[in-house]
Amino acid sequence: MLALRLTRGSHPLVLMRRLLLAAASAGVGFLLLCTLGYASGHPAHASSSVLRLLWCAVPLAATVQFAVAVARTDPSTRPRPGLFAAGLGPARLSVLAAISTAVSTTLGSVVALLFFLHLRGDLTGLPFDGGAAEFLGAGTPLPLAAALTLLALVPLASATAGGLALRSRPVAPSEAQEAEEDLAPAPAPTGLPWGVALAAAGLAVEAYASRGSTGSPFPLPGRLDSTPAAVLAGWILTAIGLAMAGPGLTHLCGRLLQAVRPGAVRLLAGRVLMDEACRIGRPLGIVCAVLSGVIAASVLRSDGPRPFGPLTALGAVLVIGCTMATLLTTALEARQARARTARTLLRLGAPASALRSAAALRALVLLVVFAPLTWAVAELAALPLTG
């Protein structure tokens, strides 16, 4: 009941983030149900159904990542001394976050189930003149237990990940501890060499896969039935590598800003990037990987008819939307963490324009570093698709 009351009394922006999470959960649930409907309507293509189900893991992972970011920025789950005095410690706050996340994602799963049953014609007649009957398995019985199990994947995974992420969050420090932390720089991330190595290994796997003539099929939920499994494995390695290298690259951007006689704005922007490298670097790396994959896959549009089906487009929208929303939500979390420092600088006489200039400079430097990296990875990843 406490979670429901906090949800009802939340700020409109917090409610908007939860509604976006519910929409993402509805999209993933619909993809999972479409895979189940295809399997029930095509029992002879069991291997293809399994591969379609594996493809759904990509938007599922993006949705879970977004759910964790939403849970971390929820004001009701932020550790405060007053909540600790009332008995709401880190453990209970993590349970509260898990319940709130489960409520939002369960709402999305219910909407997905109703929409799926409507398109199948189980509630009314077949809409759109039965155009969606083939890939939804209309006219065949739908296993209820399997459908409920698939719909429970997003709420269970999101609630568990959100609860664990908040449980590992440190207790709110006192003012003396915060002042002491402001005088010790954050340690540099150590994952940059491993990230570069994994990204290079992924690109090498994709290049080796392009040497074959056809390769084993790995179909997307829709069409695109001619992608070798090695190409997908290479892209996954590249994505993991970019996610690991993101914090190191962000920390390096902060160091570059403070090089060669920096002024106050450059010092402030560089110090913030170094302190927030682990927080915003990983979402930046994931966005870089997703955009590079989209650019690489767009070259297929020149090979005859358009190879993307409606479910493939839905999965792409979910992945891109969730990763971008995660990045924006993480940036909001970083801004909330710097709120006390910003107030201190304003009390000391720093102009507000300096803070805005530092924020714009940080965004510009990250764009200058990550945009060419995204384009380069996309060009190298497109070689197996065009060869």
Side-chain angles (χ1 to χ4, degrees), residues 139-165:
T140 59
L142 188 69
L144 181 60
L148 295 180
T149 301
L150 291 178
L151 287 177
L153 286 179
V154 179
L156 287 178
S158 301
T160 303
L164 291 177

Side-chain angles (χ1 to χ4, degrees), residues 268-315:
L268 179 60
R271 177 61 185 271
V272 169
L273 280 182
M274 292 175 64
D275 288 342
E276 302 293 339
C278 294
R279 191 194 305 267
I280 66 175
R282 187 169 292 107
L284 270 174
I286 295 176
V287 169
C288 177
V290 170
L291 292 181
S292 64
V294 171
I295 295 173
S298 64
V299 302
L300 294 178
R301 299 183 62 177
S302 60
D303 299 338
R306 186 176 182 182
F308 301 102
L311 298 183
T312 301
L314 175 60

